[in-house]
Amino acid sequence: MDFSVVSPQNLSQLRNAIRTLQRKPYRIGAGYTDLLMELRKSDTSDLTVINLAQINDNGLSHIKSLVNHVHIGAMVTATSICMNDDIARRFPTLQQAAANLASTQIRNVATIGGNLCTASPSGDMACAIVALKAHCVLMNVDGKKRVVPVVDFFTGPRTTCLKKNEFLYKIILPRNHKQTQHIHSGFIKVGTRNAMECSVVSLAYHIQVEESGYVIDAGIGIGASAPTIRFAEKAALNLIGKNMQNFTDENRNEFAKKVLTYASPISDVRATSWYRKEVLYNISKSVLV
Amino acid sequence: MEVSFNLNGEKVKCKINPTISLLELLREEMGLTGTKPGCNEGECGACTVLIDGISVNACLYPAINIHGKELVTIEGLVTAEGKLDEVQQAMVKHGAVQCGFCTSGMVMNIKAMQRNLEHAHHVPGENIRVQPDRKNIMKWLEGNLCRCTGYVKIIDAAEEVLNKNKI
């Protein structure tokens, strides 16, 4: 490997580094769990890696619990998400997605920003972030911010809406509604083995229920089922106004069918398209227990 | 590029090529071969080391980022008098070592779990402590592969040492 490395120490140095590389190939390195592997396999002679690991910036590396939102910096690791009380209590889908990603050693360095920017259709934390209807805050070289809904952040397999002069700064999760008394929230990951597995199909759900048992808000994200992670909007809307305690088999089938309309999976070494659809249908039904 | 860091309790400084991994730095530049190269892809955990107390795969960690950090490798667990660390002693007692290739990575990751038990509640907002039962130990060690498949004895050793000083 013969790439060069720049290690900005703060945000303004980072913006300058990106500015000076506008006409050259560069990659941003955060946790390096995917990037180092990729660099070892490719010609890197003309490449610069912008190393984020030494930047000291709270916005980039902290979880901030606010009244209406939770801000998660792009450099926050999967372990920090797993260990955060606020996220574990109020956004279990994200906590479970982070806890089931790869292994302890990988979670200790892998960042949520990296999981999103890699834009893999099977990204675990990214799938939960979609179900939570989060927004991404992008910053450009002039320090100007742009906020995009996470579903619009993904434009295809491994591509995002990030421009060459921008980077992902943080993720904003909206708080659950005040009327929400109970959350039915989780992350289902189906793979060919338990540990260190890339999802064959994944489903993130975050359903907010008021005191009387009626659903007031719902978010459903599906992974490894389409070119990008998708928000199953019709399936989520279908749940609103229904009572969590009285789901019938008919409701479950209707919901699963609606989820499936968002799936267009490929066949690859890990599973066939047919298998992925069958699994997605069945795990969707299992959400409405 | 020059990096300075704390290695097994001692301050060190070295000039490195900025593209090498921490594993290459340890084994090839510093001669510390206790950290094992297995898959070199972050799958097997044989190269696990502790950076600021948390377990990391050295094969996927750029050596430049060790600057300013505290690094502990398997060589750092033995005392000056040559006494083994309690995790190592438990591994010996339970016969948890077969070919030995995964052992240093296993020991370092069990050490990281022990540290989580002792320190988790000191970090603001991150006060979730992982209980050292068998299920959680297996989950914690899921990124350490033993191809002799001697997992039962390794987990026995971890369970004993992690429950020794129950808080």
Side-chain angles (χ1 to χ4, degrees), chain A residues 1-3 5 7 31-33 36-37 40 51 53-54 80 82-85 88 99-109 193-196, chain B residues 1 18-19 21 40-43 45 48 54-57 59-62 64-65 67 109 116 125-128 130 139-145:
Chain A
M1 293 191 291
D2 45 7
F3 54 86
V5 184
S7 296
Y32 293 92
T33 55
L36 267 196
M37 292 300 306
R40 279 175 193 156
N51 175 32
Q54 295 176 18
S80 297
C82 292
M83 299 286 181
N84 185 281
D85 244 4
N100 287 303
L101 180 137
S103 64
T104 308
Q105 292 94 320
I106 300 281
R107 288 192 289 274
N108 281 340
V109 287
R193 59 196 287 267
N194 275 335
M196 295 296 295
Chain B
M1 192 174 282
T19 66
S21 70
N40 219 23
E41 300 187 348
E43 289 279 336
T48 303
I54 63 170
S55 53
V56 168
N57 290 319
C59 70
L60 290 183
Y61 195 89
I64 46 165
N65 287 337
H67 183 73
N109 204 14
N116 168 277
E126 291 182 18
N127 45 7
I128 295 174
V130 182
K139 169 93 182 129
W140 190 283
L141 297 179
E142 68 190 354
N144 291 82
L145 302 185

Side-chain angles (χ1 to χ4, degrees), chain A residues 70-271:
Chain A
V70 177
H71 289 202
I72 306 177
M75 286 293 288
V76 169
T77 63
T79 296
S80 297
I81 288 173
C82 292
M83 299 286 181
N84 185 281
D85 244 4
D86 194 16
I87 290 174
R89 277 188 211 173
R90 295 173 187 97
F91 308 100
T93 182
L94 179 58
Q95 199 267 348
Q96 290 173 23
N100 287 303
L101 180 137
S103 64
T104 308
Q105 292 94 320
I106 300 281
R107 288 192 289 274
N108 281 340
V109 287
T111 64
I112 188 158
N115 203 254
L116 286 167
C117 292
T118 299
S120 161
S122 55
D124 287 342
M125 289 191 283
C127 188
I129 290 292
V130 166
L132 292 170
K133 298 188 241 187
H135 284 74
C136 297
V137 182
L138 320 180
M139 193 185 276
N140 76 4
V141 292
D142 299 318
K144 217 173 153 197
K145 289 176 195 160
R146 175 162 79 100
V147 180
V148 294
V150 66
V151 274
D152 300 333
F153 183 72
F154 305 116
T155 52
R158 304 202 169 261
T159 59
T160 68
C161 73
L162 274 172
K163 294 183 185 140
K164 199 168 178 187
N165 68 347
E166 288 177 324
F167 62 94
L168 176 63
Y169 182 49
K170 57 167 85 165
I171 294 103
I172 299 180
L173 303 184
R175 285 261 177 221
N176 298 326
H177 297 279
K178 289 209 170 69
Q179 310 93 293
T180 299
Q181 283 294 316
H182 168 71
I183 39 171
H184 183 56
S185 174
F187 182 72
I188 304 172
K189 174 172 172 171
V190 178
T192 50
R193 59 196 287 267
N194 275 335
M196 295 296 295
E197 177 60 342
C198 184
S199 305
V200 163
V201 172
S202 59
L203 185 137
Y205 59 94
H206 189 72
I207 302 166
Q208 300 181 46
V209 184
E210 63 173 16
E211 207 177 353
S212 50
Y214 287 95
V215 175
I216 51 172
D217 202 343
I220 306 291
I222 59 169
S225 310
T228 63
I229 293 163
R230 303 208 57 193
F231 183 74
E233 190 174 10
K234 280 183 267 171
L237 287 174
N238 175 262
L239 297 179
I240 294 171
K242 296 211 165 78
N243 195 308
M244 261 327 264
Q245 281 129 30
N246 309 326
F247 279 120
T248 60
D249 268 346
E250 200 183 319
N251 292 140
R252 287 185 195 100
N253 286 325
E254 191 191 357
F255 171 73
K257 272 184 198 149
K258 285 196 160 35
V259 172
L260 218 56
T261 61
Y262 292 86
S264 52
I266 53 164
S267 293
D268 66 8
V269 286
R270 283 177 293 128

Side-chain angles (χ1 to χ4, degrees), chain B residues 8-166:
Chain B
N8 296 329
E10 273 175 46
K11 277 187 183 168
V12 291
K13 245 185 209 177
C14 49
K15 277 212 165 76
I16 59 163
N17 170 341
T19 66
I20 66 166
S21 70
L22 181 60
L23 182 63
E24 289 168 294
L25 173 65
L26 285 171
R27 292 183 58 87
E28 279 147 44
E29 316 267 325
M30 311 195 96
L32 294 174
T33 52
T35 304
K36 298 298 175 197
C39 65
N40 219 23
E41 300 187 348
E43 289 279 336
C44 77
C47 65
T48 303
V49 294
L50 299 188
I51 298 176
D52 290 344
I54 63 170
S55 53
V56 168
N57 290 319
C59 70
L60 290 183
Y61 195 89
I64 46 165
N65 287 337
I66 200 65
H67 183 73
K69 300 221 156 62
E70 195 173 292
L71 173 67
V72 179
T73 67
I74 190 76
E75 288 88 350
L77 294 192
V78 183
T79 62
E81 303 83 50
K83 201 173 158 240
L84 293 179
D85 180 87
E86 56 181 344
V87 174
Q88 292 170 305
Q89 288 179 32
M91 294 282 281
V92 172
K93 182 180 154 194
H94 286 271
V97 181
Q98 286 190 49
C99 87
F101 201 84
C102 73
T103 308
S104 53
M106 287 282 184
V107 168
M108 295 317 285
N109 204 14
I110 296 168
K111 207 67 208 154
M113 190 167 183
Q114 193 180 41
R115 196 186 164 280
N116 168 277
L117 291 171
E118 289 161 4
H119 295 271
H121 51 287
H122 296 308
V123 184
E126 291 182 18
N127 45 7
I128 295 174
R129 211 165 141 264
V130 182
Q131 291 307 312
D133 56 33
R134 282 188 89 81
K135 194 174 143 242
N136 286 337
I137 291 169
M138 283 161 78
K139 169 93 182 129
W140 190 283
L141 297 179
E142 68 190 354
N144 291 82
L145 302 185
C146 166
R147 291 300 80 177
C148 306
T149 67
Y151 291 109
V152 172
K153 291 176 176 186
I154 295 168
I155 294 158
D156 287 345
E159 195 180 15
E160 183 183 296
V161 74
L162 295 171
N163 286 289
K164 218 173 184 176
N165 309 311
K166 227 171 182 176

